[in-house]
Amino acid sequence: MAHKWVYLFTEGNAQMRDLLGGKGAGVAEMTQAGLPVSQGFTITTEACNAYYASGKAFPDGMWSQAMEALAVVEAQTGKGFGDAANPLLVSVRSGAKFSMPGMMDTVLNLGLNPQTLQGLIAQTGNERFAFDAYRRFIQMFGKIVLDISAEMFEHRMDAMKQRVGAPTDTDLTSDHLQELVRDFKAVVTAETGQPFPDDPLDQLRLAIGAVFSSWMGRRAVAYRENEGIAHDLGTAVNVQTMVFGNMGWDSGTGVAFTRNPLTGERVLYGEYLQNAQGEDVVAGTRTPKPIAQLREDMPEVYAQFQQYAEMLEQHYRDMQDLEFTIERGKLYMLQTRSGKRSAAAAVRIAVEMVAEGIIDKHEAIGRVEPEQIDQLLHPFIDPDTRGTLTSIGRGLNAAPGAAVGRVVFDADRAEAMGRRGEKVILVRPETNPDDVHGLIHAQGVLTARGGATSHAAVVARGLGKPCVAGWEALRIDLEARTFTVDGVTVREGDLLSIDGGTGEVFLGEAPLISPEKLSDDLQELLRWADGAQRLQVWANADYPSDAAKAREFGAQGIGLCRTEHMFFQGDRLPVVRQMILNAAGAVVDEADGRTDGVHYRAFHEALNKLEEVQTEDFAGILRVMHGLPVVIRLLDPPMHEFLPRYEELLVEVTRAQAIGKPNAELEQLLKEVEEMREANPMLGLRGCRLGIRFPHMYQMQVRAIMRAAATVSGEGLVVKPEIMIPLVGHINELRLLKQLLLKEVDKKQQELGTNIIIKFGTMIEVPRAALTADEIAEEAEFFSFGTNDLTQTTFAISRDDAEGKFLLEYVSRGILPKNPFQVLDRKGVGKLMRLAVQAGRDTRPDLEVGVCGEHGGDPESIEYANSLGLNYVSCSPYRVPVARIAAAQAALAQGLARQTV
Ligand code: PEP
Ligand code: MG
């Protein structure tokens, strides 16, 4: 038997999502469940892939199967495709496995031609309606299938409305629409050089091809790239009997979510329009009414819809996004799918569905994307300054969060500026799928038309960007590149602030702050996540305030305290410079036995001062983290990071000389800085090499740690300090430093009369350390993967230089699949890690292993860390909640959940 390319809705079900796409599987499942669905058939995603494989030809058998399916639908409906007396009209829609809202194209009313039009008029007794359906069909078919610019049609429609004085589309009469049909056909002929195709089968063939082709269209590709959806999934095509929401005021169409997608509240949320077709709601050309209004307008239909909504949510065990049409008082369900939702809604719905017994706690954890958690921690407008801002009005609050940026009126420019790192707010009359690339690179979006389910709102919510929509007072002049609202004119490039949570818009830059507290629902979900994790989540924190934030967000330890960051605080920098600039001289003094030498004295004076402040810093962190481990890394960066820049000094010295006022002090400083210059400082005197070259510095830090630990434990708190040596490449480096520093530890223990247990370990951030991890583990009680440096040294790519220069291009050209400084490169860097964990634990089975590079907060990298059996990942405090969810999801996905929650 020939391969099956086509399935009737009665033949499919929800499990066939891969093959039928989300929409096809959804309508099939609704059909199975006995819901009122207008009938049709689905051409599979396999057919789409076969279409591409054969250079854009339908695969053998597909068309004849479609014809057979069409015959069945004709029998089901009692209508005939192309039958002038009793015409069957269909919609042709795309539907991929994953919902790509508004990404793909839909053609409605297909099958109309001058003959079937007469049939439609006879069937409905409504000439105006029939001509409206016809002009819509030509318009959509023209745009989507024949690739004619939508504006060509819109322009004529607007001109007609103006000419006849019709404020809205529904004010156009049958005669007007008839004239528009003629006009639109003329546009098609002029643009394509061919008359509009009248044969319904030609229309169907072309439309199916266009849907297949749209899979590889620019906007679909951009969306998939952003969402990480594979390009080879293909889209299915759904051919479905038309039902009409524009047959009069007892008809209508709408979209609704079973819960509020902004807040998660358990109420039907959505919009509908009377006497309208689907695209009127989504495109935002008319502003719809809230769904609650349907209860007033058509109580029975509303009750029925509510019942179906409830049923579908229970059936799919998730919040659903529903589309429906009412044709002369009869309700049809067009589509159901899991609804996109804001981060806050995702959390609330997941937690409430557990309480309602719909899902269990493990499923709840899986219902929230880790990155969504990040949005909950995203900025909002500082309430204290709100009153001082210049508000210029309010649109619809369509996607939460606040954003600041420069006004840009087109997606291409938004993308270009966004890529350059500039913050922009995309302002459009309404958005459509062609704007997605701009939305991706904007901070937020503002539209004049369309409701909370308009394209802009849906896409912005999915991307986690603030959106203010449907601001009808907004007058946008795309030519002049300005918008005006209530007499205020804003130009492209002006700074604007939007609050997607309230819909307010402000001139200028509003001060944004990050939320301080996690919601109760989120805390609950995170507790469940902690119960399911195998990996712990620690934080990178350099100050007590960071540590406090980390702890509040649920960190179970500090995985990296970069002690050098403390050197930049307050007025410490001069002391740090004194230490650095005298370090080399002090070594010479000391070798010569001159402990009263200038350098030796200056060096030790600085060290003593730093020991005091570091003791306080460490005590602050240990106090906050009482009972939990704190990994303190000894000095790591190249010393020049603390000194004035050589080039700048040189300019100053030369300038002083040129004006005849040489500055001896500056010249001396220049000489010293020059002596410390390195061609490749990241591969130079840094990390443990510093500790070996200038042991007093590391000894000072160890003394400070010991004193801090003794003080805090003297306060009755439990301290768990761990000392970490950076950039080790050879066992001898670690061995030497360990001997030296353990002596310091012992000395301090005796002096302070304490017996605090201190772990001693190293970072693995140089390939050689990973390759010789068996040896390294002889000395190290713990490993912490410094994946920033490990990536840098494995790729031999300078992380400080590459991103702006070539790395992003590498990623956009597909030379590298992802930026390896953000998402761990499993094949290369990850392989070294795997080796190191195995070899390290062969030597020392209880070796504690973590990740403290940026990857520690990245969900994909966390998943890998989980698969390696690491003990923890460590990330910045604000990423901790994200990492907790990601760690739990990784454990659940890999079947390693610690316990059942
Ligand atoms: C690392 O290299 O991954 C690391 C955490 O150290 P730093 O980023 O401070 O070099
Ligand atoms: Mg490093």
Side-chain angles (χ1 to χ4, degrees):
M1 210 183 90
H3 191 81
K4 188 165 171 62
W5 304 108
V6 176
Y7 288 78
L8 290 160
F9 291 172
T10 49
E11 293 176 314
N13 61 46
Q15 279 69 54
M16 295 165 73
R17 224 180 130 96
D18 285 349
L19 194 62
L20 302 181
K23 199 172 286 181
V27 283
E29 187 75 7
M30 286 198 292
T31 304
Q32 304 295 349
L35 263 53
V37 175
S38 68
Q39 284 306 298
F41 56 89
T42 304
I43 304 175
T44 64
T45 54
E46 282 178 0
C48 176
N49 288 333
Y51 173 81
Y52 280 106
S54 61
K56 295 201 166 191
F58 291 159
D60 279 351
M62 188 202 96
W63 183 250
S64 59
Q65 289 176 27
M67 290 301 98
E68 285 164 27
L70 188 63
V72 174
V73 175
E74 286 177 321
Q76 283 167 339
T77 57
K79 299 180 181 179
F81 195 59
D83 180 343
N86 187 16
L88 171 70
L89 303 183
V90 296
S91 65
V92 179
R93 296 162 175 252
S94 59
K97 176 176 180 186
F98 299 108
S99 146
M100 297 168 59
M103 285 300 109
M104 306 278 294
D105 299 321
T106 298
V107 180
L108 302 178
N109 307 341
L110 190 135
L112 276 175
N113 60 21
Q115 291 74 42
T116 55
L117 177 75
Q118 294 310 319
L120 187 63
I121 295 171
Q123 264 178 348
T124 60
N126 188 339
E127 191 186 62
R128 185 195 177 282
F129 157 76
F131 274 106
D132 194 39
Y134 199 18
R135 72 94 193 156
R136 284 169 191 270
F137 169 51
I138 299 168
Q139 195 170 349
M140 275 185 273
F141 194 93
K143 174 176 180 235
I144 291 160
V145 182
L146 304 175
D147 215 13
I148 300 170
S149 159
E151 276 162 31
M152 305 284 295
F153 300 109
E154 281 157 17
H155 175 70
R156 278 173 174 73
M157 177 108 173
D158 287 343
M160 159 80 78
K161 274 158 66 180
Q162 274 223 308
R163 185 159 57 79
V164 304
T168 67
D169 298 2
T170 48
D171 296 309
L172 293 173
T173 65
S174 179
D175 286 346
H176 299 142
L177 294 165
Q178 200 165 346
E179 193 181 324
L180 267 183
V181 163
R182 273 197 302 275
D183 247 22
F184 282 7
K185 283 194 157 184
V187 168
V188 170
T189 311
E191 290 296 308
T192 64
Q194 309 244 356
F196 188 84
D198 278 338
D199 179 348
L201 288 179
D202 282 347
Q203 295 170 357
L204 184 62
R205 193 180 298 111
L206 289 165
I208 292 168
V211 172
F212 282 161
S213 295
S214 71
W215 175 254
M216 280 300 172
R218 177 178 166 193
R219 64 202 200 208
V221 171
Y223 184 88
R224 289 198 298 273
E225 263 164 16
N226 194 58
E227 296 288 308
I229 298 173
H231 293 305
D232 61 1
L233 295 176
T235 180
V237 182
N238 298 292
V239 178
Q240 186 171 15
T241 312
M242 284 299 304
V243 284
F244 294 99
N246 54 343
M247 275 203 175
W249 298 99
D250 59 351
S251 300
T253 186
V255 295
F257 294 85
T258 54
R259 304 193 184 214
N260 183 323
L262 282 172
T263 64
E265 193 192 349
R266 195 179 176 192
V267 286
L268 264 187
Y269 177 94
E271 292 166 329
Y272 101 108
L273 267 174
Q274 274 173 304
N275 199 10
Q277 271 195 326
E279 85 268 20
D280 296 326
V281 178
V282 181
T285 42
R286 275 167 60 194
T287 302
K289 301 188 203 175
I291 190 88
Q293 181 68 34
L294 182 63
R295 193 204 298 256
E296 313 293 317
D297 297 340
M298 298 182 221
E300 276 162 32
V301 172
Y302 184 81
Q304 213 184 5
F305 180 67
Q306 215 175 10
Q307 185 203 336
Y308 293 152
E310 183 88 2
M311 198 171 137
L312 285 165
E313 188 180 278
Q314 291 285 337
H315 183 74
Y316 284 101
R317 301 162 64 246
D318 195 8
M319 181 258 247
Q320 296 294 296
D321 171 354
L322 307 168
E323 281 182 27
F324 64 94
T325 285
I326 306 157
E327 186 182 275
R328 291 177 165 167
K330 178 165 169 39
L331 175 67
Y332 289 92
M333 303 300 290
L334 297 189
Q335 190 183 143
T336 186
R337 59 185 171 197
S338 280
K340 300 242 174 221
R341 62 205 79 180
S342 74
V347 171
R348 178 166 171 184
I349 291 170
V351 172
E352 289 189 356
M353 282 193 163
V354 172
E356 291 161 22
I358 299 177
I359 55 175
D360 68 21
K361 292 174 181 171
H362 281 176
E363 273 182 295
I365 293 164
R367 290 289 171 90
V368 178
E369 298 274 329
E371 289 304 338
Q372 282 189 311
I373 303 285
D374 202 31
Q375 292 162 28
L376 290 177
L377 310 171
H378 269 172
F380 56 93
I381 295 178
D382 179 354
D384 291 342
T385 63
R386 230 188 158 92
T388 66
L389 302 173
T390 317
S391 169
I392 50 169
R394 183 189 287 260
L396 263 174
N397 54 333
V404 176
R406 297 201 177 274
V407 170
V408 170
F409 290 105
D410 70 84
D412 288 345
R413 194 170 293 182
E415 176 178 9
M417 288 173 69
R419 282 194 185 279
R420 287 201 300 271
E422 291 179 62
K423 292 187 162 52
V424 302
I425 304 285
L426 181 62
V427 180
R428 298 284 301 160
E430 68 212 8
T431 66
N432 65 42
D434 295 331
D435 296 316
V436 171
H437 60 293
L439 267 146
I440 289 170
H441 292 280
Q443 302 296 307
V445 60
L446 171 62
T447 66
R449 291 200 291 266
T453 44
S454 65
H455 177 265
V458 172
V459 175
R461 276 202 294 276
L463 293 170
K465 313 238 170 180
C467 172
V468 175
W471 192 14
E472 302 201 359
L474 203 65
R475 294 280 164 271
I476 301 176
D477 185 339
L478 292 175
E479 295 258 297
R481 306 197 82 84
T482 59
F483 74 75
T484 306
V485 64
D486 290 336
V488 181
T489 298
V490 174
R491 293 173 192 294
E492 189 157 60
D494 288 354
L495 273 171
L496 197 72
S497 305
I498 61 170
D499 185 340
T502 64
E504 268 182 296
V505 179
F506 305 94
L507 289 181
E509 183 173 0
L512 303 184
I513 45 177
S514 301
E516 291 299 316
K517 286 258 170 284
L518 305 180
S519 72
D520 291 346
D521 283 339
L522 179 54
Q523 303 226 28
E524 178 89 356
L525 190 73
L526 288 169
R527 271 194 296 277
W528 299 340
D530 291 346
Q533 282 161 15
R534 214 193 44 73
L535 269 176
Q536 289 194 350
V537 177
W538 297 12
N540 295 355
D542 307 326
Y543 314 106
S545 56
D546 286 355
K549 183 104 272 176
R551 201 160 183 164
E552 181 196 324
F553 284 166
Q556 292 174 278
I558 298 293
L560 174 63
C561 172
R562 291 174 162 108
T563 52
E564 63 272 9
H565 285 178
M566 297 169 176
F567 288 2
F568 288 102
Q569 275 197 313
D571 47 10
R572 298 177 187 181
L573 204 54
V575 186
V576 174
R577 285 183 179 165
Q578 181 182 335
M579 173 184 81
I580 294 169
L581 293 173
N582 288 287
V587 172
V588 178
D589 280 350
E590 191 173 4
D592 294 349
R594 270 187 282 120
T595 50
D596 60 347
V598 189
H599 295 301
Y600 188 90
R601 282 182 34 205
F603 179 64
H604 282 274
E605 186 188 61
L607 278 181
N608 290 339
K609 283 189 193 159
L610 288 173
E611 182 177 328
E612 296 310 310
V613 290
Q614 291 239 288
T615 303
E616 266 177 54
D617 294 332
F618 297 147
I621 292 181
L622 290 170
R623 207 171 273 129
V624 171
M625 297 306 293
H626 66 88
L628 298 177
V630 177
V631 177
I632 300 172
R633 177 177 78 184
L634 303 185
L635 213 53
D636 174 56
M639 293 293 98
H640 72 87
E641 286 190 10
F642 302 101
L643 299 176
R645 285 174 60 87
Y646 173 79
E647 292 79 1
E648 284 165 17
L649 271 179
L650 184 62
V651 170
E652 268 188 73
V653 165
T654 314
R655 189 175 290 141
Q657 285 168 351
I659 59 169
K661 290 186 184 161
N663 181 333
E665 210 175 304
L666 267 188
E667 285 174 20
Q668 177 60 24
L669 184 58
L670 177 69
K671 201 169 139 254
E672 287 166 349
V673 170
E674 188 174 9
E675 275 166 14
M676 300 197 66
R677 282 185 95 202
E678 293 176 294
N680 286 314
M682 289 313 261
L683 301 179
L685 183 60
R686 60 170 287 220
C688 62
R689 302 159 199 172
L690 270 177
I692 291 170
R693 180 101 174 74
F694 306 120
H696 293 295
M697 290 191 199
Y698 272 23
Q699 285 169 318
M700 174 278 282
Q701 291 196 298
V702 168
R703 285 197 299 276
I705 294 168
M706 294 305 299
R707 286 173 57 193
T711 305
V712 177
S713 94
E715 294 164 8
L717 301 174
V718 177
V719 292
K720 296 186 174 174
E722 305 190 9
I723 295 176
M724 179 155 79
I725 309 294
L727 217 76
V728 165
H730 195 287
I731 177 64
N732 288 345
E733 292 172 313
L734 185 61
R735 194 169 277 148
L736 191 152
L737 284 171
K738 188 175 169 188
Q739 270 169 12
L740 179 86
L741 297 175
L742 282 185
K743 267 192 215 139
E744 208 66 29
V745 170
D746 286 344
K747 229 164 45 193
K748 273 287 159 200
Q749 299 267 37
Q750 279 177 18
E751 215 177 290
L752 298 165
T754 58
N755 194 16
I756 295 162
I757 297 164
I758 298 217
K759 276 197 185 173
F760 203 94
T762 185
M763 295 187 77
I764 302 289
E765 51 183 347
V766 172
R768 194 180 185 287
L771 294 168
T772 59
D774 50 343
E775 280 180 7
I776 306 245
E778 286 168 17
E779 298 292 340
E781 290 169 89
F782 66 88
F783 284 176
S784 177
F785 286 108
T787 47
N788 302 334
D789 271 307
L790 193 57
T791 301
Q792 168 163 266
T793 48
T794 301
F795 273 92
I797 288 179
S798 160
R799 68 174 139 147
D800 295 327
D801 300 307
E803 292 206 351
K805 300 263 170 26
F806 60 87
L807 198 53
L808 297 182
E809 191 192 328
Y810 261 41
V811 176
S812 67
R813 290 180 56 191
I815 296 169
L816 288 178
K818 301 245 163 86
N819 178 346
F821 291 105
Q822 282 171 359
V823 179
L824 193 85
D825 157 52
R826 297 187 185 199
K827 277 203 178 148
V829 178
K831 191 168 178 183
L832 283 171
M833 290 169 72
R834 184 177 290 282
L835 270 174
V837 179
Q838 276 164 4
R841 290 210 174 124
D842 281 347
T843 304
R844 189 186 290 265
D846 62 348
L847 186 76
E848 169 189 285
V849 189
V851 172
C852 67
E854 294 311 301
H855 306 86
D858 166 62
E860 258 188 77
S861 311
I862 291 171
E863 186 195 48
Y864 187 68
N866 187 71
S867 76
L868 290 185
L870 302 197
N871 301 83
Y872 67 88
V873 289
S874 187
C875 55
S876 78
Y878 275 93
R879 294 293 292 179
V880 167
V882 177
R884 285 165 74 189
I885 292 284
Q889 289 184 351
L892 291 170
Q894 291 167 13
L896 296 170
R898 199 147 52 85
Q899 64 191 62
T900 313
V901 289

